[in-house]
Amino acid sequence: MRNGSPKPSHSAVRRANGSGSEPVLAALDLGTNNCRLLIAVPAESGFRVIDAFSRIVRLGQGLQKHQNLSEDAMERTVQALKICARKMAKRNVTRSRIVATEACRRARNCDAFLDRVAAETDLEIEIISTHEEAELALAGCVPLFNPKIPNALVFDIGGGSTELVWHRREETGSARNGRGALDAISLPFGVVTLAERHGGDRFDRATYRRMVDESRAALDAFEARFGIGAAIRDGAVQMVGTSGTVTTLAGISMNLRRYDRDRVDGTYLDFDEMEDIAARLASVGFRERAAMPCIGAERADLVVAGCAILQGICERWPVGRLRVADRGLREGILFDLLDQEAAAE
């Protein structure tokens, strides 16, 4: 569906009509660059993932120039969504939420695209606001917070936008999702839009610095409003990053021959090390980056733009290190679906 509250999926209706089996939950995040699905069942720790899918579809490719989703991008995305729909049917999903973010918020032909998705996959996609996107990303990352540090700066570098959340634990709100204790900002650029503006092959130092400065300057108003820097100087801020950029840099830092979510999720990265890796990636061309473990051809033209956004964030707020989260919006949706299951009992 379009903007607004999601209606129950067909599978949710089937459960309401008499299936007494264990709840099976699905969260699907259709972003500017990726299509990602998690299927889970309730567990003592919250939920247990039983199936997953992720594919780089580049739905927003060329969107900045043409303001429309291209035919090729829509076709790639529909094919990925068909796989998601088959997985959801195979797992007998009983409650789901399927959301789209920046590419669908901006595209003039988005309604036609969503109609096509519904016709070919039977999936109803909901376009969520930038604020809700940030809320859900925060909810998915809360389990990684250090309880001894009262404030958290959480960011998600996406394909078409970058969300940041400033969370203050001392305010009232759910212990699990932190809602009621946050402020958020959405920057109107991500790895795809920045790479398309500045090129995706080799970056000289001046070009890379311009990208960093653009990212950092976009944060000035948020800093002026909340005085995050003062809290950092008091040692009262932790930083959590959830994005392909951050997880890729973590994999490189750990010298992984291939990406391993279980090893990356929850690890830490020092700012100095991230800056060194970013400089190395920017100094080589597309082919060299594509040959590196944890990057590959699908990310090689985007990872430097992501590094520039990340460096801008780190320079604006020098916490010193960040916690890496291979989790976020989808996990936040799953927590919401768990709450809905509890309320329905």
Side-chain angles (χ1 to χ4, degrees), residues 1-2 4-6 26-32 34-37 59 77 81 88 96-102 104-105 113-114 123-129 132-133 136-137 329-334 336-337:
M1 65 182 297
R2 311 305 186 251
S5 300
L28 196 159
D29 168 21
L30 177 58
T32 302
N34 291 280
C35 174
R36 293 175 288 196
L37 169 72
L59 178 61
T77 304
L81 289 170
M88 292 167 68
S96 64
R97 190 178 185 192
I98 304 165
V99 304
T101 55
E102 187 65 12
C104 287
R105 286 193 291 258
F113 168 66
L114 296 186
L123 297 178
E124 294 279 348
I125 298 179
E126 174 194 4
I127 304 174
I128 58 173
S129 69
E132 184 170 12
E133 183 179 356
L136 289 168
L329 193 153
R330 291 170 300 162
E331 286 80 2
I333 291 174
L334 288 175
D336 268 357
L337 295 178

Side-chain angles (χ1 to χ4, degrees), residues 294-313:
C294 301
I295 296 181
E298 290 184 322
R299 293 186 182 276
D301 61 336
L302 304 178
V303 67
V304 175
C307 288
I309 297 171
L310 174 60
Q311 188 167 333
I313 294 170

Side-chain angles (χ1 to χ4, degrees), residues 10 27-28 31 46 66 82 86 94 98 122 194 213 240 249 280 289 305 309-310 330:
H10 294 306
L28 196 159
H66 301 291
K82 286 180 178 179
R86 290 197 293 268
T94 60
I98 304 165
D122 202 30
L194 207 61
D213 290 343
V240 179
L249 293 188
R280 188 164 80 247
R289 291 194 298 272
I309 297 171
L310 174 60
R330 291 170 300 162

Side-chain angles (χ1 to χ4, degrees), residues 15 23 42 95 338-345:
R15 182 169 184 266
R95 192 182 295 270
L338 285 171
D339 288 343
Q340 293 175 30
E341 284 291 331
E345 290 179 355

Side-chain angles (χ1 to χ4, degrees), residues 153 157 162 164 185-189 194 197-198 207-225 228-229 232-233 239 271 275 305-319:
L153 192 59
I157 302 171
T162 299
L164 295 104
I185 184 174
S186 179
L187 307 181
F189 54 83
L194 207 61
R197 281 211 301 271
H198 295 280
T207 300
Y208 181 74
R209 189 66 234 179
R210 281 197 300 272
M211 292 193 291
V212 173
D213 290 343
E214 177 182 343
S215 303
R216 177 173 176 167
L219 305 170
D220 288 348
F222 203 60
E223 164 60 28
R225 182 179 176 189
I228 299 169
I232 291 172
R233 289 189 291 273
M239 182 180 283
F271 283 13
E275 189 171 341
C307 288
I309 297 171
L310 174 60
Q311 188 167 333
I313 294 170
C314 294
E315 289 185 4
R316 174 70 272 182
W317 294 302
V319 176

